[in-house]
Structure formats: C-alpha cells, structure tokens
Amino acid sequence: MYRILQILFVALCLVISAHVVGSRAAEDLGPLIDQLGSAKLSDMDDHITALAETGDAKVVPVLEALGEGELYQRKSDGKVFLVKAQGADLLLVDPVTGADAGAAPKAAMQKVKVNNAVRRAVRSALGGLTLFSDDTSARIKAAQSMLQTPNADALEAIETAIAAEKDGTVRKVLDEARAVTLLVSDRPDDQKRQAIALLAEGNGRNGLAVLTSALATADASLKPDIEAAIARIEQTQAFWSAGQNIWYGLSLGSVLLLAAIGLAITFGVMGIINMAHGEMVMLGAYTTFLVQEVVRNSYPDLFDWSLAIALPLAFLVTGAVGLAIERGVIRFLYGRPLETLLATWGISLILQQAVRSIFGPTNREVGNPSWMSGAFEFGGLTITWNRLWIIVFALAVFAALLFLLKRTSMGLKMRAVTQNRRMASSMGIRTPWVDALTFALGSGIAGMAGVALSQIDNVSPNLGQGYIIDSFMVVVFGGVGNLWGTLVGAFSLGILNKFLEPYAGAVLGKILVLVLIILFIQKKPRGLFALKGRAVEA
C-alpha cells in the first residue's frame, strides 16, 4: 500500500511539474512574441534571434507567419496573434497555446511589419530550430537554408546537429553548411582553411558563390587557398557541364533515333520520301492520350501501366494507317519520287486537319507515370527519369528492329529487296507485299516513337512537323537504309546540337548542323554507313 501511494505521489509531482514548466515557458515566450509587434525593423533581427534561442517548437509557426506577413498585433493591448480570415473579421489564435482567442475586426489589428532582411533572419532562425527535427526532410531543408544564408550565430547549433546526426545525406549538407558558416565567423584561420578545402571538394555552386564572396574580404593569408579552391571548383564544373551537354545530347539523340528509325527502313527499302512520317508520330502520341483518358476515367489504378497499354495500340493503329496509305496511294507512284513526295505531303496535311477537327488545335495533356517522374543526381549530372527511360526504350526498339532484319525471314526479304529488287523478285519474293509490310512497320515504329515523345513534348496536331526535318537529316547523315548509321547519326547530331546551342542559340545551331551535313554529304554522298549492293551501287 505504501509503495502504491509512493508511485501516485511521484506521478502527481511530475504532472504538476510539467504544468508549471509549461506555464513558465508560456509566460517566457508570450512577451518575446509580443515584442515583435512594437519592434522597429532594424531591431527585428535581435528579437527573432531571442525567440530562436528559446529552442521552443512553438516558435516555428510564429516565425513562419512572420515571414509570410501573417502575424498581427492587436492595437488595444499590443498582443500579437496568429490570424485566420473569417469573413470581414480576423479569427485570432494564441501563438503560445494555439487556443482560439476570439475574433476581431481588421481595423482593430495591425500587421507586423517585415522586409527582406527580416525574412532572411526568419529563414535562418527556422533553419536552426528545425535542425533537430525528427523529420529527415525537415532537417535537410533546414541545413540547406543555413547553407544558402550563412549566419555565424548559428555555427554552434550546426556543430551540435552534426554531432547528433546519423543520416549520411543530412550530415553531408550540414558539413557544407558548417563550412560556409565558418567562413563568415571569427574562428581561427586553420578551421577556415579546412572549410575552404571541404567546399572545394563539394564543387557546388553554393560553395563557389560563398568563396567568391569571401575572397573580397578575406585575410591575405587565406586568399591563395580561396583562389585555388575557386579554380578547382570551376574546372570541375566545366567537366560536369560538358558531361551534362553530352547527356542532353544523348537524350535528344534518342528522340531523333525514335523519330528517324522508321523513316530509315522505309526510305532504305522503298526509296520513298515519306513526308507523312511525322504525322505517324503524332498519331502515336494521340493514341497515348486516348488510352490515358480511358484509364483516368475508368481504371485510375492502372495509370502507371497506361504506356504499356498504349505502345502496342499505337503500333497497330499507325501500322494500319501506313498500310492503307501504301496500298491506297503510294503503290501507284513507285518510280516517281516527286509525285510520291507531293502525295505524302498532301496526306500529312489531311491527317493534321483530321486530328485538328476531332481533338481541337490545342495541346492535349498526357501525364507521366510515377516511374517516369522526377530526377536524380549522378555526380554533377541531373538526370530525369523520363529522359533516361526514353533512351532505354530507343535502344530497345533499335535492338528489336536489328533482330528483325538480321534474324527473321521478313528481315531477310527486306534486305534482299533493298540490295537488289529485281533479283529478289526473280527469286520469288513478293516485293509489293514486302514494300507494304515495310511501310506499315516503319509507320508502326513511328507510332511507338509518338508514345515516347508524348512524355516530353506537347501533344498537338503539329507534333510531327517538329521532327520530320531532323529525321531526314539523321537518315541522310547516317546512310540511307542503314540502322547503325541511323543510330550513330542520331546521337552525333543530338550531341552536336547541344554543344552548339549555348553559343549559337537553338535556331542558329540547327542551321549550322544543316550546313555541316551538307558539307559532309559533298564528301560522302551516301552518308556515314553506305549500303552495299548492285542496285545501290548502280
């Protein structure tokens, strides 16, 4: 019995103690918050620092409201409140307890003044307060805030947070924040040299900006270290910048490869300049749009599978349209390339207008599945998932097409017709049907390209027009009818474009690429990888 009474007494003491401590904290915090209402803008930094030093989590919403200009002072007694709009009045919320404090007309309240300096002080204080949050993302956000706005007063808090931090990602950002903060502190030069070395290893833009800024005010003994660190960061950034351009070039090249690979086999086998090829890409993109509309309205749980559903449908739809075009128009124009060019151009206009009449002229929304959204960092590169998957998809289509041409009966017939049509016909190959199936295959692949392009470009009736000229350039540069030439040509032109654009701009860059291709064709009329065969060489 005595033991039970002893436990109850201890519990009662703890409850009373907690209540007293809470009340005391509220008593201490309340006047500090009220001082924000009457403080001058020049003194706000000191008041914000005093609030942050309490380490009380209740300060966080107060500072957030102050930074957003939503902290109000009651004119009658000078008390400060968080507010919520309630019609013509403001609903008051006690900043310490979070309790409802009634309503007041707007005329009875005065907004606490803020400016950019106050907002910077708020961000810095919030960073220090949330460094010890249980939420990892909140700690990273706090560390990044302190990295961008270094404050010597926060140095001890950062070092305490580093000592307690177990997450490697957060610790890395904290180390950078400490290094940046050290440079603006009055710590010994040895520590500042270590910070400079750390920032040089990080190679970040924040570090470069901080070091450049610190160079102007640094002691003479530190300037050589800072200059060496800046040179090292700039050299490394130039390396990663070139790597990023190559990545962007590969990404653009994969798009060109998808758009051109169907054109390469139809142009190579049949010798037809198909100006409607871009519209096949456009039809594939609209097929994706229709599939996603059905999935959104009827089977929303299957949205991540919408592209897998759209791919075979786009291939079948555009393949059927291509077969109809070949059987209905092109087969009557073999041997007349100019008429074929005009006929396919007319067909492209008809298809564009048909789509415009059905779906309208505006862009249609095609969403990214969750596995194609977002990006990740690789060294100094930023790689988006949708571009990465499009590169993988383009290479997969290329490999599948290569297998079809090299390892199947259909591929053998197509190669035979490409190299010598008359000989193939004399050997019993039905060249008209090879032509028709090849045209359908090329159109179907263009439709699959449209599925991929719908993830990175606007889906509109003009979608295909943006790629038709580039597709012809890739095919001519790589070698007509040669898949390997198309692959090399697409990636080469993609990378060349991305290296020219920063200096010449997008339009002038394309013009320069076109001029270079024309000059190249003068030397090698059949492109990089010319086909060999009696008919071709004739």
Side-chain angles (χ1 to χ4, degrees), residues 183 192 196 211-224 226:
L183 289 180
K192 291 186 178 181
I196 293 168
L211 289 172
T212 305
S213 174
L215 184 61
T217 57
D219 294 338
S221 60
L222 286 176
K223 283 191 175 180
I226 295 176

Side-chain angles (χ1 to χ4, degrees), residues 8 51 87 130 154 156 225 237 299 307 328 346 376 384 413-414 423 437 449 451 483 500 502 506 524 538:
L8 288 174
L51 277 171
T130 51
E156 292 184 3
D225 297 275
Q237 283 193 339
Y299 311 98
L307 292 189
F376 65 93
T384 54
K413 292 175 181 176
M414 288 170 61
M423 182 68 75
L437 293 177
V451 177
L483 286 186
L500 287 176
K524 297 192 71 172

Side-chain angles (χ1 to χ4, degrees), residues 56-133:
D56 196 323
K58 297 186 185 71
V59 174
V60 173
V62 176
L63 292 180
E64 288 177 344
L66 175 63
E68 295 170 2
E70 296 178 354
L71 201 63
Y72 281 75
Q73 181 191 33
R74 190 159 57 193
K75 293 179 180 177
S76 60
D77 57 4
K79 289 187 70 64
V80 171
F81 295 92
L82 303 171
V83 299
K84 296 177 183 175
Q86 188 182 49
D89 295 335
L90 294 175
L91 181 64
L92 308 183
V93 178
D94 190 292
V96 179
T97 63
D100 185 358
K106 289 183 179 177
M109 304 297 293
Q110 182 178 4
K111 184 183 289 188
V112 178
K113 295 178 181 177
V114 293
N115 58 12
N116 288 337
V118 172
R119 293 189 185 92
R120 282 197 295 272
V122 166
R123 286 197 295 271
S124 177
L126 285 173
L129 280 169
T130 51
L131 277 178
F132 303 96
S133 170

Side-chain angles (χ1 to χ4, degrees), residues 258-432:
L258 280 173
I261 198 168
L263 191 65
I265 59 173
T266 56
F267 200 11
V269 173
M270 307 167 69
I272 293 175
I273 302 174
N274 179 19
M275 295 300 290
H277 184 77
E279 277 54 53
M280 300 299 141
V281 176
M282 178 262 290
L283 290 178
Y286 272 94
T287 304
T288 311
F289 164 70
L290 289 175
V291 168
Q292 286 201 348
E293 283 297 295
V294 173
V295 169
R296 277 198 188 99
N297 295 326
S298 304
Y299 311 98
D301 294 339
L302 294 177
F303 187 78
D304 279 349
W305 293 92
S306 58
L307 292 189
I309 300 170
L311 268 178
L313 287 177
F315 181 82
L316 292 174
V317 168
T318 53
V321 172
L323 186 64
I325 292 173
E326 199 281 337
R327 289 288 87 188
V329 179
I330 292 175
R331 71 185 177 115
F332 300 109
L333 302 173
Y334 286 134
R336 291 184 286 175
L338 183 60
E339 284 89 340
T340 307
L341 187 149
L342 292 174
T344 53
W345 182 53
I347 290 169
S348 75
L349 296 178
I350 292 170
L351 290 174
Q352 281 184 50
Q353 188 55 46
V355 169
R356 193 173 284 112
S357 300
I358 295 171
F359 297 100
T362 56
N363 296 336
R364 291 292 175 173
E365 180 187 357
V366 175
N368 290 125
S370 60
W371 50 275
M372 288 187 75
S373 303
F376 65 93
E377 299 287 334
F378 180 75
L381 305 180
T382 301
I383 297 175
T384 54
W385 283 107
N386 56 356
R387 292 279 181 174
L388 177 63
W389 283 117
I390 286 175
I391 290 177
V392 172
F393 177 68
L395 293 176
V397 171
F398 175 81
L401 199 55
L402 202 61
F403 177 82
L404 175 71
L405 288 176
K406 301 291 185 183
R407 302 291 180 183
T408 66
S409 173
M410 177 63 191
L412 180 64
K413 292 175 181 176
M414 288 170 61
R415 285 188 289 132
V417 174
T418 301
Q419 294 180 10
N420 194 317
R421 180 178 294 274
R422 289 184 179 178
M423 182 68 75
S425 180
S426 66
M427 295 295 292
I429 295 175
R430 300 175 64 186
T431 55

Side-chain angles (χ1 to χ4, degrees), residues 150-152 154-155 158-159 175-196 198-199 210 214 222:
N151 183 354
L155 187 55
I158 295 174
E159 290 175 337
D175 284 337
E176 291 181 352
R178 177 179 176 272
V180 168
T181 310
L182 267 173
L183 289 180
V184 297
S185 71
D186 55 358
R187 293 285 181 90
D189 286 352
D190 289 343
Q191 292 190 26
K192 291 186 178 181
R193 285 195 179 89
Q194 292 175 3
I196 293 168
L198 180 66
L199 290 172
V210 169
L222 286 176

